[in-house]
Amino acid sequence: MTSISERLQAVRTRIHEAESSAGRTAGSVSLLAVSKAHPAAMLREAFAAGQTMFGENYLQEALAKQEELAGLAIEWHFIGPIQSNKTQPIAQHFDWVHSVDRLKIAQRLSAARLAGQAPLNVCLQLNVSLEDSKSGVTLAELPELAHAIQALPGLRLRGLMAIPAPVTDFDKQRRQFAIVRQAYEDLKKQGLALDTLSIGMSEDFPAAIAEGATIVRVGSAIFGPRN
Ligand SMILES: *Cc1c(COP(=O)(O)O)cnc(C)c1O
């Protein structure tokens, strides 16, 4: 069986290869290890292998792991759906939130961030799928939401996140990510100081890197399958 440290190394190698074939600077893509459904011991193992950014989807599960791993210098990212009654603990216990898609949620996160904390880093989740079941803001609603969120004092708007429908073909993957990249470039042209494109998961992160990803969110390729 392959260890977490070996799988992490293999993912890092593939990230470097994708950076290089896209003509991008080595180290311009950060790896977010998505650890949902895996025990704290596995995060500890990844941390020991040099991984410091971890992504979690479920608040209660994340808080329990944070308590178990208190003392490790982990940067915690919340990447799951946000219920409005959970905004306070999310705002106070995470460094980043990738899944903001409504102004009301953003306002609550901003208000809940503590005075002694740096503003919470947020990405807006863009819906690039045609299925209306998927969460995320639509392309049409994005500019207004981005400008409103940029003005909130407790938040620092960093960029966009998206989860396109899974497809296996590299060029099809790229085309979906290109929509997100275009939206990101358009917002920057409108004067927003963004620096983060959070796209790409285990099955499609090389295509996301070819389209400009600055954070890839990788779970199963590091930790194995989830139950
Ligand atoms: C679970 C999850 C991931 C990681 O998915 P893998 O396919 O296991 O790499 C990335 N982003 C989000 C938002 C997720 O929920």
Side-chain angles (χ1 to χ4, degrees), residues 62-93:
L63 293 179
K65 287 179 205 171
Q66 289 180 353
E67 212 164 294
E68 274 193 73
L69 301 172
L72 300 189
I74 289 177
E75 186 178 272
W76 292 99
H77 293 235
F78 191 83
I79 63 173
I82 307 166
Q83 293 168 278
S84 63
N85 63 342
K86 304 277 173 62
T87 45
Q88 179 175 319
I90 291 173
Q92 295 176 358
H93 291 271

Side-chain angles (χ1 to χ4, degrees), residues 1-208:
M1 217 188 99
T2 330
S3 69
I4 287 178
S5 137
E6 286 167 312
R7 284 192 299 242
L8 250 180
Q9 197 44 56
V11 169
R12 287 182 188 135
T13 301
R14 290 178 64 203
I15 289 173
H16 291 145
E17 285 167 0
E19 285 171 339
S20 153
S21 54
R24 299 184 52 189
T25 312
S28 54
V29 179
S30 301
L31 173 59
L32 178 64
V34 175
S35 43
K36 62 170 177 245
H38 296 294
M42 288 174 77
L43 283 75
R44 197 184 286 281
E45 212 177 314
F47 184 85
Q51 181 63 33
T52 55
M53 295 164 60
F54 289 87
E56 290 280 341
N57 293 56
Y58 308 105
L59 178 66
Q60 294 314 319
E61 180 190 336
L63 293 179
K65 287 179 205 171
Q66 289 180 353
E67 212 164 294
E68 274 193 73
L69 301 172
L72 300 189
I74 289 177
E75 186 178 272
W76 292 99
H77 293 235
F78 191 83
I79 63 173
I82 307 166
Q83 293 168 278
S84 63
N85 63 342
K86 304 277 173 62
T87 45
Q88 179 175 319
I90 291 173
Q92 295 176 358
H93 291 271
F94 288 84
D95 303 292
W96 283 72
V97 176
H98 292 228
S99 42
V100 174
D101 63 0
R102 278 178 290 157
L103 184 57
K104 181 185 143 199
I105 293 289
Q107 287 166 332
R108 291 177 65 100
L109 289 171
S110 176
R113 193 72 170 167
L114 298 170
Q117 294 183 301
L120 179 65
N121 297 294
V122 300
C123 291
L124 300 189
Q125 183 174 350
L126 180 64
N127 186 346
V128 288
S129 144
L130 295 177
E131 307 155 49
D132 51 12
S133 61
K134 289 266 163 64
S135 39
V137 61
T138 63
L139 273 173
E141 300 161 330
L142 178 66
E144 193 183 339
L145 182 63
H147 283 90
I149 286 177
Q150 192 209 20
L152 296 173
L155 305 185
R156 180 171 168 208
L157 180 61
R158 301 294 295 265
L160 299 181
M161 184 274 256
I163 314 172
V167 290
T168 49
D169 180 75
F170 184 86
D171 294 317
K172 283 189 188 143
Q173 292 174 347
R174 267 196 80 155
R175 263 179 261 143
Q176 302 198 93
F177 290 131
I179 298 169
V180 191
R181 179 193 204 147
Q182 187 60 57
Y184 173 73
E185 298 298 341
D186 288 348
L187 290 177
K188 291 209 287 188
K189 275 186 214 132
Q190 292 165 23
L192 295 181
L194 308 180
D195 62 6
T196 302
L197 201 43
S198 168
I199 48 175
M201 321 204 309
S202 292
E203 299 303 325
D204 56 15
F205 71 84

